[in-house]
Amino acid sequence: MPSTVDFNTVSTVGLESSPVPAALAGLPANEARYFKNKFDHVFTVEPASKAKSTIDWVHRILKEERDIVIRLVGSKRRASRSTTSESPLSSTRAVCR
C-alpha cells in the first residue's frame, strides 16, 4: 500500500533500514513539496518489492525514450546509456542505490 509523503511533517517512515534515517528523511519530503507545488500532485511512496509494474514501466520508458538501461551489477544498480554518439550525456554513468 503506497504511503503519502507529508512535506510539512518530515518523517523517517520507510527509512528504518538505513543507518542514517534522519539525514535521508528530508529527501522524500522535498520531492513531495516539489510535486505538490509544481503539479498539485500528492507524492506517494511504496516498497520497490511491491511496485514491480511501476519499475518495469519506468525501465521501459528510459530504454525507449532515452536509451538508458538500468541493470544489476553486483549489489549495485548501474544506469548507463548504450549509445556511442558524441553527445555530452553519452558518457554519463550513474549508480542508483
Side-chain angles (χ1 to χ4, degrees):
M1 175 81 185
S3 62
T4 301
V5 177
D6 180 7
F7 59 89
N8 293 315
T9 307
V10 178
S11 171
T12 59
V13 172
L15 301 169
E16 294 86 0
S17 64
S18 170
V20 288
L24 295 175
L27 296 174
N30 187 49
E31 293 296 317
R33 180 186 52 78
Y34 173 80
F35 276 86
K36 183 65 176 170
N37 291 338
K38 180 86 173 175
F39 305 109
D40 195 27
H41 175 76
V42 176
F43 193 79
T44 60
V45 294
E46 64 183 311
S49 61
K50 297 184 180 190
K52 181 157 176 35
S53 63
T54 302
I55 293 169
D56 292 342
W57 176 69
V58 169
H59 283 198
R60 183 183 57 77
I61 290 171
L62 289 173
K63 173 61 180 153
E64 292 174 3
E65 296 183 9
R66 304 287 183 194
D67 202 21
I68 297 173
V69 176
I70 299 175
R71 55 183 162 45
L72 190 59
V73 177
S75 62
K76 297 179 182 176
R77 289 194 177 272
R78 179 160 295 191
S80 64
R81 289 184 178 267
S82 60
T83 61
T84 57
S85 67
E86 293 301 315
S87 163
L89 296 176
S90 65
S91 62
T92 301
R93 295 191 187 273
V95 174
C96 305
R97 296 177 191 188

